[in-house]
Amino acid sequence: MIRCKLLHRSPMPCRIIRTLSTDGYKSIGSFHSDNVEQLMRLSDEDYIAPELPFEKGSVKIPTRSPVAAPFANSGRFSDSYSHLDRSQWSFLNHGAFGLATDVGLSRAHSWRMCLESQPLRYFDRYLLNHLAHSARSLVDFVATENKDKMRESIALMSNVTGGMNAVIGGHARFHGNSSKVFSFDINYGSNKKMCQTYHGQENAIEIPFEEDFLPLLRKIQSSSNEDNDYHLQATDVFLSAFDSTIQNLIRGGKHSKSSLAGSLLLLDHITSNTAIHTPIMSLAKYAKEEYGMIVAVDGAHSLLSLPLEMSNILSDGSDGQEGVDIYLTNCHKWFSSPRGAAALFCSNTTIQDSILRQPAVVSHGVNDGFLSRFLWDGCRDYSAELSLPAITDFWNATAISVVRKDTKQNLKEGIRILIQHWHPGVCSGGGDNADMASIEQNSAEAGLTLVPLQLHAPMMALVRLPDHLSGSAVANKSDRKTSTDAKRVQDYFYSCRVEVPVKCVRGVLYCRVSCHVYNRAEDFETLARVALNVP
């Protein structure tokens, strides 16, 4: 058999060296690629990144303004999201389906053109090696320690939903359909449906939180105003809700504490509907030590928005080691990749070979290692996953810690703008304008944000709509709102070309505002004005 070795970096015709192949297949199935498991195990010193089969292209990195004021750098990042139609829309809903950076779209487009120029070459000889490179790039982005271990702990996939199907379905298969899975009622909706589908209604245990425990988060105060202080107090609230559900089960007589060992606890690192930053590490520690549970985290909103250090988040199953067992995250949200890229992390090899033994889609790599079993799930467009190295390079070049700090500051200023327009005189510190220090300390207790800003996500929060729209949480009041009311208001916003979701939580309507690097004060000003005109 004649094998063609391709030597090129550009879309120009290839120079082909005709050589007689004496090697057998190294990769999964009959792909003419290297063994991806071996590529992941190579050290940084030994690893050689595969060459791109096209011109890399230039990337414009935004330069940071020396001005420290809110939104000072937003305009500089607008060029990195140049396809957003700012002339028509105020876009404050990045948290829904993300928005891809230009650099990610450009790299994905190059890969699509490469695919169509010679499909067999793309799938047979390029794809798997470059997917392994994407996996290594993502590990480098979320792990500064124990990288060798983390590279054997990652699996790429198209989205967290597929990964969660593997996790929840795998738990039901391995531990039996009678095994229990626990999740808070504020968790992501589709995950609840997966629990019911794979474990059955009786064994999918929902932890009530929204009605009785969410109001307790609102009351949290801190004299130090430090985030850690708020999260310590929030942990107590989450643990109380969790323990209350467990004790009710045990009192029912069908379960004992020991019978819950091996149950699955699902946590959202950042809840989607309520934008709450969940204290996952404390909850995982308690669930594992007290009840022997397995803990999986849906981190769909966490990549880039939170400073993830996966070597500290994951537990490898060693005695006494803290951490979660499984962690999933989407790349298309705050990381801003094109849609169709996500990652699952698990460093516990026992769980890799049991619960995670079967991906949602079984294909060629199912028996060839942790990355391999998830990597190929059929003939599809893999360009989003292939774009990840370009996007990690982009974010690393922007000083990501500064980006997080700036965006968090911008969100707070956006919330201040909304509160000043919608609830004048509240949290004003005695003046005419809403005061940021007062908002940080009192906005939740005053009912202006769902929870204290320190407990909301760093790039996403819920702000109560003006009084004539928002309704009341008191159960017997006639103005307690519903999801139908939320849809009506959101549809009005859309008709005014303002894209922002309206959430109904305990009978009250809130805007869930997202703030990424490209958002400007004008986006919040427009939303503030439009809301005051809702009929």
Side-chain angles (χ1 to χ4, degrees):
M1 175 180 176
I2 299 295
R3 182 173 67 180
C4 297
K5 185 177 180 181
L6 306 177
L7 303 177
H8 67 297
R9 291 175 178 263
S10 70
M12 298 296 290
C14 308
R15 179 165 63 91
I16 302 176
I17 300 177
R18 296 172 61 85
T19 59
L20 185 65
S21 173
T22 59
D23 299 331
Y25 291 110
K26 301 176 183 179
S27 189
I28 62 176
S30 57
F31 290 96
H32 295 251
S33 302
D34 292 321
N35 184 303
V36 296
E37 304 296 330
Q38 293 179 4
L39 290 176
M40 295 303 288
R41 285 193 289 267
L42 289 173
S43 67
D44 286 333
E45 292 75 19
D46 294 330
Y47 177 71
I48 300 175
E51 296 181 356
L52 288 172
F54 44 77
E55 291 290 348
K56 186 175 182 179
S58 60
V59 177
K60 182 180 179 181
I61 304 299
T63 56
R64 188 170 183 272
S65 167
V67 179
F71 299 108
N73 292 291
S74 298
R76 296 166 185 264
F77 275 94
S78 295
D79 290 343
S80 301
Y81 295 84
S82 63
H83 46 285
L84 178 62
D85 187 0
R86 291 183 174 279
S87 66
Q88 297 288 329
W89 291 92
S90 296
F91 189 74
L92 290 165
N93 198 7
H94 189 103
F97 300 107
L99 181 70
T101 59
D102 287 4
V103 64
L105 287 175
S106 175
R107 180 63 60 88
H109 176 73
S110 294
W111 275 115
R112 292 189 186 104
M113 294 301 100
C114 175
L115 161 61
E116 300 304 338
S117 70
Q118 218 281 37
L120 266 293
R121 180 182 63 189
Y122 167 91
F123 283 114
D124 250 359
R125 303 176 188 277
Y126 290 163
L127 178 63
L128 296 185
N129 283 19
H130 282 273
L131 285 176
H133 183 58
S134 291
R136 290 181 67 102
S137 297
L138 197 56
V139 167
D140 289 344
F141 191 77
V142 298
T144 59
E145 302 174 2
N146 298 323
K147 287 188 179 182
D148 290 345
K149 188 176 187 64
M150 290 302 102
R151 290 185 187 121
E152 296 187 53
S153 304
I154 186 174
L156 290 183
M157 54 201 61
S158 59
N159 53 60
V160 165
T161 298
M164 272 296 178
N165 271 275
V167 172
I168 299 169
H171 181 266
R173 283 190 299 270
F174 187 77
H175 288 272
N177 291 332
S178 61
S179 60
K180 299 289 186 290
V181 56
F182 293 83
S183 65
F184 287 86
D185 63 2
I186 59 173
N187 279 17
Y188 191 55
S190 74
N191 291 341
K192 302 176 193 176
K193 295 176 181 178
M194 292 178 215
C195 293
Q196 294 166 359
T197 299
Y198 290 113
H199 289 77
Q201 293 278 354
E202 182 179 350
N203 298 311
I205 311 298
E206 190 168 86
I207 303 167
F209 190 85
E210 182 173 313
E211 278 298 324
D212 295 330
F213 291 92
L214 183 56
L216 300 180
L217 293 182
R218 174 176 292 172
K219 297 177 181 179
I220 291 177
Q221 292 283 328
S222 172
S223 58
S224 66
N225 206 34
E226 293 291 332
D227 287 3
N228 286 343
D229 193 14
Y230 280 90
H231 281 280
L232 285 173
Q233 296 180 64
T235 296
D236 292 338
V237 176
F238 276 95
L239 289 178
S240 295
F242 179 50
D243 255 347
S244 176
T245 299
I246 298 292
Q247 295 308 313
N248 286 339
L249 276 179
I250 293 174
R251 280 194 294 268
K254 292 184 179 180
H255 304 282
S256 64
K257 182 177 177 180
S258 60
S259 71
L260 298 177
S263 296
L264 180 64
L265 173 63
L266 295 182
L267 301 172
D268 283 6
H269 204 166
I270 293 173
T271 59
S272 178
N273 208 48
T274 52
I276 294 172
H277 185 180
T278 307
I280 61 167
M281 298 300 286
S282 300
L283 288 170
K285 176 180 171 64
Y286 184 79
K288 290 157 74 76
E289 291 181 353
E290 191 70 14
Y291 300 110
M293 292 186 177
I294 298 161
V295 180
V297 174
D298 182 339
H301 284 275
S302 63
L303 185 60
L304 189 128
S305 73
L306 298 176
L308 300 179
E309 178 54 67
M310 293 309 304
S311 61
N312 295 333
I313 292 173
L314 292 177
S315 167
D316 65 6
S318 302
D319 291 340
Q321 189 189 37
E322 299 179 7
V324 307
D325 299 297
I326 303 167
Y327 193 100
L328 302 97
T329 189
N330 274 324
C331 300
H332 68 264
K333 289 186 181 286
W334 303 97
F335 188 70
S336 293
S337 79
R339 289 146 204 84
L344 182 155
F345 294 89
C346 176
S347 58
N348 185 324
T349 55
T350 299
I351 292 177
Q352 285 185 6
D353 295 333
S354 55
I355 294 174
L356 299 178
R357 184 63 184 81
Q358 181 176 314
V361 178
V362 176
S363 193
H364 292 299
V366 68
N367 297 318
D368 291 280
F370 186 57
L371 177 65
S372 297
R373 75 182 61 143
F374 288 93
L375 198 60
W376 170 266
D377 56 9
C379 182
R380 63 172 175 87
D381 183 356
Y382 289 85
S383 59
E385 291 160 86
L386 294 169
S387 73
L388 297 182
I391 303 170
T392 57
D393 288 347
F394 171 80
W395 288 120
N396 286 330
T398 63
I400 190 60
S401 63
V402 177
V403 166
R404 291 191 184 103
K405 181 179 178 181
D406 285 352
T407 309
K408 187 175 182 178
Q409 177 184 239
N410 294 348
L411 176 63
K412 290 180 179 180
E413 174 61 15
I415 291 170
R416 191 198 66 79
I417 291 171
L418 298 178
I419 289 176
Q420 181 168 313
H421 281 78
W422 294 348
H423 308 284
V426 184
C427 290
S428 63
D432 294 331
N433 297 326
D435 175 69
M436 182 53 67
S438 180
I439 289 173
E440 289 185 328
Q441 189 68 24
N442 303 309
S443 65
E445 190 174 30
L448 307 184
T449 56
L450 182 66
V451 295
L453 294 187
Q454 295 81 356
L455 299 180
H456 267 310
M459 299 182 181
M460 190 166 65
L462 269 67
V463 182
R464 183 163 64 86
L465 284 168
D467 292 341
H468 74 284
L469 296 174
S470 59
S472 171
V474 179
N476 60 358
K477 286 215 173 178
S478 60
D479 60 347
R480 187 177 171 97
K481 302 299 184 179
T482 67
S483 59
T484 299
D485 298 307
K487 181 182 183 299
R488 180 184 69 85
V489 177
Q490 186 170 336
D491 286 346
Y492 179 83
F493 287 159
Y494 183 84
S495 71
C496 298
R497 297 191 179 276
V498 176
E499 188 65 75
V500 65
V502 177
K503 304 294 183 180
C504 182
V505 183
R506 302 182 67 251
V508 178
L509 300 188
Y510 299 83
C511 272
R512 191 198 70 183
V513 289
S514 295
C515 187
H516 211 330
V517 290
Y518 56 82
N519 283 115
R520 302 176 181 180
E522 294 94 312
D523 297 324
F524 291 90
E525 295 279 1
T526 300
L527 170 60
R529 291 193 300 270
V530 168
L532 292 174
N533 293 322
V534 176

